Amino acid sequence: MGRAWVGRAPLSPEELQKIGPQARKWAAEQILNVWRRGKDIDNPRALWGDELEYVMVEFDPSQSRATAVLDQENVLHRWNDQVSSTLGESPEYEAMDLQPEWQNFSIESTPSKPYTDETRDLLNVEKNMKRRRALIRDLLGPTQYPLTIASFPRLGTKGQFTTPHYDTLQSDVHHRMVPPQVVAPGLRYSYINQQVLGRRKRPVGLHVPIYRDCNTPRPFLDEDCLAEGALFGKDSVYLEGQAFGGACCALQTTVQAANERDARWLHDQLVILGPTMLALTAATPIYKGYLVNTDSRWDYLTASFDIRTQEEEFKFLETSKPCCSSPLTRWSSNRVYLSHERPTDISNACGQVQMDEPAKRQLLDGGMDESIASYFSNLLWHDPLCLNQDAIELSSPETTHMFEKFQHGVWKHVHLKMPEASTGAGWRIEFRPMEVQLKDSENAAFAVFMFLLSKAIMAYRLNFYIPIELVTESMQLAQKLDAVTKERIWFRRRDWAPGGLNSVQCNPQHGCSQSQMEDTYALMTIDEIINGEHSTLPARFPGLVPIVRSYLLERDLLPNEEAKLMQYLNLISCRASGTLPTPARWMRDFVAEHDDYQQDSVVSEKICYDMLREIVNMNEAD
């Protein structure tokens, strides 16, 4: 979620309102300078990397209890001490970098150096992930383990769910379910919480639909919800506080494109692929010790960073259209396409997307085209969450302080990163919707697949464009229970590639009907998108895995190399077809088959303990 906080405290919401117009002007000037320096850069090196987030868990066999370990700061100190003491003498410690995360019980790891597209690097991803997990394990206590789970299943339950234990009954009004100690000690995270709550003027409250099993009470009434008198929360699990969204973990990949043109094209195609990959990696079926009726975390992240007042929320509900969620929600799916090479019938932005018009005019006057100016003016429409006096005093056209304050307070599911003079990094695209997987082999498979798919997109100029409003709709569908096998999402099935690759798409000489030719995009299953449509018509979409397989076979691979990479593709293929369960489905099945489960949607302390222990065993055997 960005860099640690340095310097003085942020300005208040009232102070931000006053400085806002000038801050946007400075930020737009800095954006233009970065863009001008980087717009002609051409760096063909195919560098890429991943980010993995872990939940640190302690197991107490005497109590059959698993708890989240609130020890991020000490773990990072121990890591820094070990790295410093080796002074480059041990290559083992060069495997990764560690960073803090929003929640005090989580930590983020990345490979210390970017990967290349060489086959040896592709095959090294899984080894690197295993090494990173082992190194983090060494920093923890003897009964503590780093787990790649998307959320801690019993966060916010009655009783103990953290180590050390803090009594939430003694917490302030904004932390009734989760103690404030869950937030990482870094000032940046505390300030973000303060700014969100300060503007909302009330706690973040989420109602998650309960999963109805045979013995689930009808109606189901969460006692926390009843305590607030919120009768509209019937048949919902009530989650109060940012932790239920902010504490979720993800698998992210970042790919460097050769130039701005390729980066903008890749950005747009990955925006469209977001719902597909969210459904494929679904891993969040349990909140506050209950099975819920959704499988993914995305909407709860969105709600956790919703800074609307109650009046603004009511007004939005009265006037909104289905295509876009609240403009004041800082965590959301993308609303703007970047490439001006998109098809002429595809608009560059959602009709309701909010943009700062003076900033947009400044960017256009500075030489940007409509698409990229819309992208950044949408970012600048939001107030910066953590702007302080230091950034104001340090702001100049040659720095990026002000731009970063805006950028680090808005999170979309695909993120454009412009070239950095300080690091030599080129144009990069960060892909953010995937949920972290239970095993390193699975995380490696999805990371490698996304890199190879990105390379195929740029090499073949694959065109998956659909109206961007349909991406938002698909992100909602992709979060539903068992969406990977039960839902259809919007995807392009015609005119998806130029030249030879288009031999499988519809054209008049194949005898396709007019209606088939007009069906450029449609609601498709995840299996059809990943493995191809089950049709004998020449117009069938062949599937993303077959496209990546074709791209991969153009490389000069040894038999063992090809076998390993094909194993990753087969994992993606089987996940899409339903023959391999998502982590969410695996967790649901584990709970349902547990001897202690009463078919009442309750994931007890014992069930949670056994499930997380089994995840440890899976990784040790992997």
Side-chain angles (χ1 to χ4, degrees):
M1 285 188 65
R3 301 168 185 170
W5 181 266
V6 178
R8 286 173 276 183
L11 304 179
S12 68
E14 293 74 22
E15 291 171 320
L16 284 175
Q17 287 289 319
K18 293 178 182 178
I19 193 66
Q22 182 60 55
R24 287 177 174 83
K25 184 176 180 180
W26 287 333
E29 188 173 15
Q30 292 174 1
I31 290 169
L32 279 171
N33 283 332
V34 175
W35 174 72
R36 286 167 182 152
R37 288 195 298 264
K39 66 186 182 68
D40 296 322
I41 286 177
D42 200 311
N43 187 346
R45 295 190 67 200
L47 302 178
W48 68 288
D50 70 80
E51 296 178 20
L52 272 176
E53 296 166 1
Y54 303 81
V55 173
M56 299 179 289
V57 176
E58 178 158 45
F59 293 93
D60 182 353
S62 67
Q63 301 290 326
S64 293
R65 175 187 294 152
T67 52
V69 181
L70 305 180
D71 199 30
Q72 181 190 101
E73 191 171 32
N74 287 328
V75 169
L76 288 172
H77 282 322
R78 288 194 286 271
W79 169 251
N80 290 329
D81 289 344
Q82 289 196 13
V83 172
S84 299
S85 65
T86 61
L87 296 175
E89 296 176 1
S90 175
E92 188 74 7
Y93 292 106
E94 297 177 5
M96 68 174 179
D97 290 327
L98 289 186
Q99 299 291 335
E101 257 302 324
W102 187 94
Q103 58 274 30
N104 199 9
F105 55 75
S106 288
I107 204 140
E108 175 190 291
S109 80
T110 60
S112 57
K113 298 178 181 178
Y115 301 119
T116 70
D117 66 344
E118 293 185 17
T119 303
R120 67 167 182 252
D121 270 7
L122 299 180
L123 297 175
N124 191 48
V125 172
E126 184 176 341
K127 297 175 184 176
N128 184 275
M129 288 181 174
K130 290 180 183 295
R131 193 176 305 124
R132 282 145 62 184
R133 188 190 295 269
L135 289 172
I136 297 172
R137 171 75 176 87
D138 289 342
L139 301 170
L140 302 175
T143 59
Q144 299 173 352
Y145 295 84
L147 298 185
T148 44
I149 53 176
S151 68
F152 188 75
R154 286 179 57 80
L155 184 71
T157 57
K158 305 300 180 186
Q160 182 176 355
F161 55 84
T162 64
T163 296
H165 173 59
Y166 295 95
D167 189 351
T168 54
L169 294 177
Q170 299 177 6
S171 299
D172 62 47
V173 68
H174 294 320
H175 300 90
R176 291 193 311 114
M177 297 182 186
V178 178
Q181 291 85 355
V182 162
V183 179
L187 290 175
R188 179 174 189 269
Y189 306 107
S190 298
Y191 288 155
I192 287 176
N193 286 359
Q194 292 172 18
Q195 294 291 73
V196 171
L197 294 174
R199 196 186 187 285
R200 285 176 58 86
K201 304 186 187 307
R202 68 197 193 285
V204 173
L206 317 174
H207 292 86
V208 186
I210 189 73
Y211 169 72
R212 282 189 163 188
D213 210 337
C214 302
N215 297 326
T216 305
R218 286 171 168 72
F220 172 84
L221 298 173
D222 187 334
E223 61 182 69
D224 289 318
C225 194
L226 289 175
E228 291 297 295
L231 297 179
F232 60 89
K234 183 175 65 174
D235 294 325
S236 295
V237 179
Y238 182 58
L239 310 177
E240 187 174 281
Q242 286 183 279
F244 293 100
C248 291
C249 295
L251 164 66
Q252 300 175 17
T253 57
T254 300
V255 176
Q256 179 170 278
N259 49 51
E260 181 189 0
R261 176 175 177 262
D262 281 358
R264 290 166 68 167
W265 186 268
L266 178 61
H267 167 278
D268 292 357
Q269 310 317 311
L270 293 187
V271 164
I272 298 148
L273 292 170
T276 298
M277 301 312 297
L278 180 61
L280 277 173
T281 58
T284 323
I286 304 169
Y287 274 99
K288 211 174 72 174
Y290 292 105
L291 288 171
V292 296
N293 210 43
T294 55
D295 273 359
S296 299
R297 78 204 190 289
W298 193 261
D299 270 357
Y300 311 133
L301 277 167
T302 297
S304 294
F305 294 91
D306 182 354
I307 65 172
R308 291 173 297 174
T309 64
Q310 201 162 34
E311 292 76 17
E312 288 169 335
E313 186 175 357
F314 288 151
K315 182 177 180 180
F316 173 77
L317 292 173
E318 293 173 355
T319 61
S320 65
K321 297 179 181 178
C323 78
C324 298
S325 67
S326 166
L328 281 174
T329 298
R330 293 170 173 272
W331 199 301
S332 68
S333 58
N334 293 61
R335 300 289 187 265
V336 179
Y337 285 136
L338 273 174
S339 178
H340 47 72
E341 300 175 76
R342 66 187 181 281
T344 55
D345 61 333
I346 299 293
S347 299
N348 77 303
C350 169
Q352 285 187 323
V353 71
Q354 297 286 345
M355 302 179 195
D356 186 79
E357 292 301 330
K360 183 177 179 180
R361 174 48 51 196
Q362 186 178 350
L363 296 172
L364 290 170
D365 291 345
M368 283 187 170
D369 58 76
E370 175 75 20
S371 296
I372 197 167
S374 296
Y375 177 89
F376 284 114
S377 59
N378 171 235
L379 184 152
L380 294 178
W381 183 83
H382 298 268
D383 288 327
L385 276 178
C386 291
L387 179 63
N388 66 350
Q389 196 64 34
D390 294 332
I392 294 172
E393 293 173 2
L394 292 171
S395 185
S396 75
E398 300 308 313
T399 69
T400 58
H401 293 88
M402 192 63 66
F403 167 41
E404 289 174 356
K405 295 302 180 185
F406 280 92
Q407 183 169 248
H408 291 164
V410 180
W411 302 273
K412 306 298 185 185
H413 78 277
V414 180
H415 176 49
L416 172 72
K417 294 184 174 182
M418 292 192 288
E420 295 179 357
S422 59
T423 64
W427 289 91
R428 291 146 295 144
I429 302 299
E430 185 178 45
F431 188 66
R432 305 170 55 84
M434 292 191 292
E435 307 210 325
V436 73
Q437 304 297 282
L438 302 180
K439 300 193 294 183
D440 294 316
S441 57
E442 296 172 328
N443 285 310
F446 278 97
V448 170
F449 174 71
M450 287 311 302
F451 171 71
L452 291 173
L453 180 54
S454 297
K455 291 292 292 179
I457 286 170
M458 291 183 285
Y460 299 146
R461 218 65 181 171
L462 300 180
N463 165 25
F464 301 136
Y465 279 107
I466 60 175
I468 201 161
E469 292 86 353
L470 299 183
V471 176
T472 300
E473 181 180 327
S474 293
M475 286 292 280
Q476 299 301 310
L477 296 170
Q479 300 174 64
K480 292 187 176 183
L481 191 154
D482 290 328
V484 72
T485 55
K486 294 180 179 178
E487 297 296 326
R488 292 176 178 268
I489 66 173
W490 289 101
F491 200 77
R492 193 177 188 93
R493 65 195 308 196
R494 305 281 183 268
D495 304 320
W496 52 272
L501 284 177
N502 257 359
S503 60
V504 294
Q505 68 179 8
C506 187
N507 59 60
Q509 51 248 59
H510 286 144
C512 299
S513 69
Q514 183 64 30
S515 62
Q516 289 172 328
M517 291 179 63
E518 291 174 351
D519 190 17
T520 306
Y521 42 86
L523 286 167
M524 298 172 64
T525 66
I526 303 298
D527 187 35
E528 290 171 334
I529 295 169
I530 293 294
N531 295 317
E533 295 180 279
H534 306 296
S535 168
T536 57
L537 289 174
R540 64 182 292 274
F541 180 68
L544 298 176
V545 162
I547 290 172
V548 171
R549 186 177 287 117
S550 295
Y551 172 79
L552 192 58
L553 291 178
E554 293 179 5
R555 304 166 69 107
D556 188 15
L557 299 174
L558 296 174
N560 63 316
E561 296 171 339
E562 180 180 326
K564 182 62 177 178
L565 294 174
M566 291 303 173
Q567 183 180 335
Y568 289 154
L569 297 187
N570 288 338
L571 185 150
I572 307 296
S573 179
C574 290
R575 184 70 69 80
S577 68
T579 56
L580 182 69
T582 62
R585 172 42 56 191
W586 181 88
M587 289 179 177
R588 291 181 186 278
D589 291 344
F590 186 95
V591 172
E593 295 166 8
H594 197 281
D595 290 341
D596 285 7
Y597 182 58
Q598 303 299 309
Q599 296 182 299
D600 56 359
S601 310
V602 175
V603 181
S604 68
E605 198 167 63
K606 169 65 172 170
I607 296 172
C608 179
Y609 174 87
D610 289 342
M611 180 176 70
L612 298 186
R613 280 294 327 174
E614 181 59 25
I615 293 172
V616 172
N617 296 338
M618 287 163 50
N619 275 285
E620 290 179 344
D622 192 19

